[in-house]
Amino acid sequence: MKQQIFGALTAAAIALSAPLAAAAEVNVYSARKESLIKPLLDTFTEQTGIEVNLLTGDSNALIERMRTEGRNSPADLLITVDAGRVGLADSLGLFQPVDSEILTNSVPASVRSPNNHWFALSRRARIIAYHPDRVDAADLPDYETLASDDWAGRICVRSSGNIYNQSLLASLIHHNGAEAATEWASAVRKNMARSPQGNDRAQIRAVAAGECDVAIVNTYYFGIMLSDPEQRGIAEQVKVHFPNQANRGTHINVSGAGIAKHAKNVDNATALLEFLVSSESQAWYAEVNHEYPVSSNVMPSELVASFGSFKADDLNVSVLGELNADAVRVFDTVGWE
Ligand code: FE
C-alpha cells in the first residue's frame, strides 16, 4: 500500500513538472500524406530542436476530430491539401490569426486567407489534359469551352465528390454566376465519355487509351506520372493545356495550413509555418510533389517548368471554401455523380 501511494505520488510529481522539463514541441494534424511532409518536419526538428508530433489522416476526419476535441485538442497546426477543406476548417472557427511578416511576405495575398487564418504551402493548377492527335489545343481555350456540343462524348473527369472539382466549380460560380455555372456543369456532364470514375491519374490514362480526348486534372499528377518509369510512357502521350489564358487565368488551388484556435504551442507552430514557406522547403515541395511554389521567387522543378509558363487566376482561394456548399448543390442539381 505504502509503495502504491509512493508510486502514485511520483507519477503526479512527474506529471506536474513535465511542462517545465518538456522538450519544445508542436503537434501537427496533416491531411498531406506522411511521405510528402515528414522529411520537411525532420529537417525543421534538426534546425530548431522543436519536436514535431505528426498525425496524418483524411481532411474531413481531422477537421471533425479537431471540432469534437474543442479546447482540449492537442492540435497546434492543421495541414490540408485543398483550399475548399482549409476554408471549411476556417468557417468552423478552428483557426486563429497568425501575425507573421515572414508569412505575409512569403505567401501572396491570393493564396492566404484575408484574415491570416491560413496560408498556402503549395499551389497547383487544374488544367485540361488532351491527346494531341485528336485535339488541337486552340479549340479549347477555356473551361467554358468544354460545355460546347463539340465535346460531346469526349470528356473524362472524376466524380463531383472530389474536392478539386468542387473548388473548380466554385471558381466558375464566382466568375460567371450560379446560373451559368449550373448550365456549364450540366453540359459537361452530358459531354462526358463515361460516368465519373477514378482519380486524376486515371483520367490521364483514359485519354492516353483513347477512352476520351480531354480530361480535367491537377498539374502535379502529370509530374508524378512523368517521373515514374512505369507511368511515363502513358503520360507522355497526353499534353497539358492551361485554360483561360486570354481572360482571368487558369484555376489555382492550394495545399494550406493554419494554426489551431486552441493551440498550446503557438510560437512553435508559427515557426514551423514560416519554415514550410521558406525557399528551402518550397524548393523541396516543388521537386518532390511537382507542385508550384507559393511564391514566384522560387522556381518550379524543371519537369513542371516544361509544361510552360501560364497566367494564373488571382482570385483569392478563400472564395473556393466560401462557395463550396453552392458548388456541391450545383453538382447534385445536374446529376454529376
Ligand atoms: Fe491530389
Side-chain angles (χ1 to χ4, degrees):
M1 182 69 194
K2 215 173 186 179
Q3 201 163 5
Q4 256 183 5
I5 290 170
F6 178 76
L9 280 173
T10 308
I14 288 168
L16 282 173
S17 64
L20 294 174
E25 64 176 4
V26 58
N27 299 317
V28 176
Y29 282 15
S30 174
R32 172 132 269 183
K33 63 179 184 184
E34 188 162 340
S35 61
L36 292 179
I37 188 82
K38 185 76 167 52
L40 278 181
L41 302 180
D42 289 345
T43 306
F44 173 74
T45 301
E46 267 165 42
Q47 290 182 3
T48 63
I50 300 169
E51 291 296 330
V52 183
N53 305 310
L54 178 65
L55 175 75
T56 55
D58 166 77
S59 306
N60 284 342
L62 292 174
I63 288 169
E64 184 52 28
R65 181 169 175 154
M66 278 175 77
R67 214 166 63 89
T68 43
E69 286 170 343
R71 50 182 70 247
N72 296 321
S73 176
D76 295 309
L77 189 70
L78 172 68
I79 298 175
T80 75
V81 288
D82 181 278
R85 290 283 180 259
V86 79
L88 170 68
D90 193 21
S91 71
L92 293 170
L94 297 181
F95 295 139
Q96 59 174 293
V98 185
D99 185 16
S100 158
E101 253 177 53
I102 293 177
L103 290 173
T104 47
N105 288 339
S106 308
V107 184
S110 66
V111 288
R112 56 181 150 91
S113 84
N115 50 16
N116 292 333
H117 277 196
W118 54 263
F119 300 82
L121 301 179
S122 62
R123 297 184 303 147
R124 64 283 295 267
R126 194 151 182 78
I127 53 92
I128 301 177
Y130 68 98
H131 198 291
D133 292 350
R134 304 191 297 274
V135 173
D136 180 350
D139 292 335
L140 60 140
D142 300 336
Y143 299 107
E144 284 83 346
T145 318
L146 295 174
S148 137
D149 291 343
D150 296 344
W151 299 96
R154 303 174 69 188
I155 302 173
C156 277
V157 60
R158 69 199 292 179
S159 74
S160 63
N162 171 255
I163 188 79
Y164 307 144
N165 281 342
Q166 293 169 11
S167 289
L168 171 62
L169 184 57
S171 80
L172 291 167
I173 293 172
H174 172 86
H175 289 299
N176 301 338
E179 206 180 304
T182 307
E183 280 166 22
W184 178 85
S186 174
V188 171
R189 171 71 198 88
K190 286 195 192 100
N191 285 345
M192 286 180 195
R194 58 179 192 179
S195 38
Q197 55 196 268
N199 56 20
D200 277 8
R201 267 165 288 190
Q203 315 311 316
I204 296 172
R205 281 196 289 270
V207 172
E211 267 192 82
C212 36
D213 296 336
V214 294
I216 304 173
V217 301
N218 287 352
T219 37
Y220 57 90
Y221 288 111
F222 262 99
I224 292 169
M225 292 178 78
L226 288 169
S227 55
D228 173 1
E230 281 181 14
Q231 300 181 75
R232 185 184 304 145
I234 295 166
E236 276 173 349
Q237 300 172 47
V238 183
K239 301 292 168 210
V240 172
H241 171 67
F242 293 101
N244 297 76
Q245 293 304 287
N247 43 69
R248 64 180 180 271
T250 298
H251 170 64
I252 293 297
N253 206 324
V254 298
S255 71
I259 296 183
K261 179 157 182 218
H262 301 297
K264 318 287 185 294
N265 302 295
V266 172
D267 290 348
N268 295 346
T270 305
L272 177 54
L273 259 184
E274 291 172 348
F275 171 79
L276 291 173
V277 302
S278 67
S279 301
E280 179 192 359
S281 304
Q282 289 289 305
W284 185 85
Y285 258 132
E287 228 26 82
V288 174
N289 201 34
H290 312 286
E291 290 186 87
Y292 292 96
V294 286
S295 160
S296 44
N297 297 333
V298 181
M299 287 293 125
S301 72
E302 214 173 295
L303 179 60
V304 171
S306 75
F307 302 154
S309 56
F310 68 101
K311 178 183 176 186
D313 185 352
D314 64 1
L315 171 68
N316 188 297
V317 293
S318 64
V319 171
L320 309 178
E322 287 160 20
L323 291 174
N324 179 266
D326 292 5
V328 171
R329 208 171 308 124
V330 168
F331 275 137
D332 285 348
T333 306
V334 305
W336 183 321
E337 298 92 326

